[in-house]
């Protein structure tokens, strides 16, 4: 495979994962995602007492939305985006300093602490099952399989580094982790 083919394959993989993320964010399945949809997640975390201050998370998502609009070729913020817009915009901003250095580290830490219910700095299988149950997924075999996939050193818990690695891999076009965005 030459370099151009490799790049195309990476882009296809990222597009696949971004399509899953879009479907996850489009809660009412109308084919559009607005900045309000992006804020459903931070709002739920605040409502459930998972985070005290959702301002940082909301600001990150707002900025993401604006950058995706621009990346998709719109001169100004749009009321909503289609899946095609979302993927096109995300592919344009995927290697930007902001996404890699600010957005991803910011949200990954928050994700980890919301799944780590007992706050011991590790995610156990029970916590992982709870995370999926909160999304209406009760499939135990699915939980075990995805848990083992993330627990790369096989010690029975997911460390912050293992968790971060999943997002780093997704950013590089590895679509083996799109299960993170599964919902019922
Ligand atoms: Ca824990
Ligand atoms: Ca581990």
């Amino acid at each position: 495979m030459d370099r151009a083919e490799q790049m195309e394959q990476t882009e296809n993989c990222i597009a696949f994962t971004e399509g899953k993320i879009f479907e996850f964010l489009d809660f009412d399945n109308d084919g559009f995602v607005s900045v309000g949809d992006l804020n459903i997640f931070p709002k739920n975390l605040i409502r459930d007492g998972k985070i005290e201050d959702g301002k940082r998370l909301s600001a990150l998502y707002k900025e993401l939305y604006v950058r995706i609009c621009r990346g998709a070729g719109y001169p100004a913020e749009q009321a909503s985006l289609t899946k095609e817009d979302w993927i096109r915009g995300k592919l344009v901003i995927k290697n930007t300093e902001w996404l890699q250095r600010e957005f991803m580290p910011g949200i990954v830490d928050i994700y980890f602490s919301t799944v780590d219910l007992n706050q011991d700095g590790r995610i156990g299988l029970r916590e992982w099952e709870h995370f999926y149950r909160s999304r209406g997924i009760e499939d135990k075999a699915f939980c075990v399989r995805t848990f083992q996939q993330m627990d790369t050193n096989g010690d029975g818990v997911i460390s912050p580094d293992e968790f971060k690695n999943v997002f780093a891999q997704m950013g590089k076009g590895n679509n083996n982790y799109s299960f993170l965005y599964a919902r019922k």
Side-chain angles (χ1 to χ4, degrees), residues 150-159 162:
M150 298 178 79
D151 178 18
T152 44
N153 70 354
D155 67 348
V157 289
I158 297 165
S159 66
E162 285 171 330

Side-chain angles (χ1 to χ4, degrees), residues 112 115-124 127 157-158:
F112 187 90
V115 181
D116 179 17
L117 292 175
N118 66 358
Q119 299 289 306
D120 68 348
R122 313 174 311 170
I123 295 169
E127 288 169 325
V157 289
I158 297 165

Side-chain angles (χ1 to χ4, degrees), residues 55-84:
K55 278 197 191 122
R56 167 86 183 130
L57 196 56
S58 292
L60 282 171
Y61 275 115
K62 165 85 182 166
E63 176 85 26
L64 176 71
Y65 187 82
V66 171
R67 283 174 187 254
I68 289 178
C69 288
R70 270 193 242 127
Y74 295 110
E77 187 182 331
Q78 298 294 295
S80 59
L81 294 171
T82 65
K83 193 196 273 190
E84 289 69 33

Side-chain angles (χ1 to χ4, degrees), residues 22 25 32-39 65 78-81 86:
F22 181 91
L25 292 168
F32 294 96
V33 161
S34 67
V35 70
D37 289 329
L38 290 189
N39 266 316
Y65 187 82
Q78 298 294 295
S80 59
L81 294 171
W86 179 274

Side-chain angles (χ1 to χ4, degrees), residues 8-73:
E8 193 187 323
Q9 196 181 47
T10 302
E11 296 223 330
N12 285 340
C13 289
I14 292 175
F16 174 84
T17 297
E18 289 302 328
K20 293 280 173 205
I21 293 174
F22 181 91
E23 287 163 18
F24 172 73
L25 292 168
D26 179 17
F27 285 97
D28 60 2
N29 292 311
D30 69 348
F32 294 96
V33 161
S34 67
V35 70
D37 289 329
L38 290 189
N39 266 316
I40 290 176
F41 180 64
K43 273 188 191 146
N44 287 348
L45 292 179
I46 297 164
R47 182 201 63 201
D48 299 343
K50 297 267 175 72
I51 50 175
E52 284 175 16
D53 181 3
K55 278 197 191 122
R56 167 86 183 130
L57 196 56
S58 292
L60 282 171
Y61 275 115
K62 165 85 182 166
E63 176 85 26
L64 176 71
Y65 187 82
V66 171
R67 283 174 187 254
I68 289 178
C69 288
R70 270 193 242 127

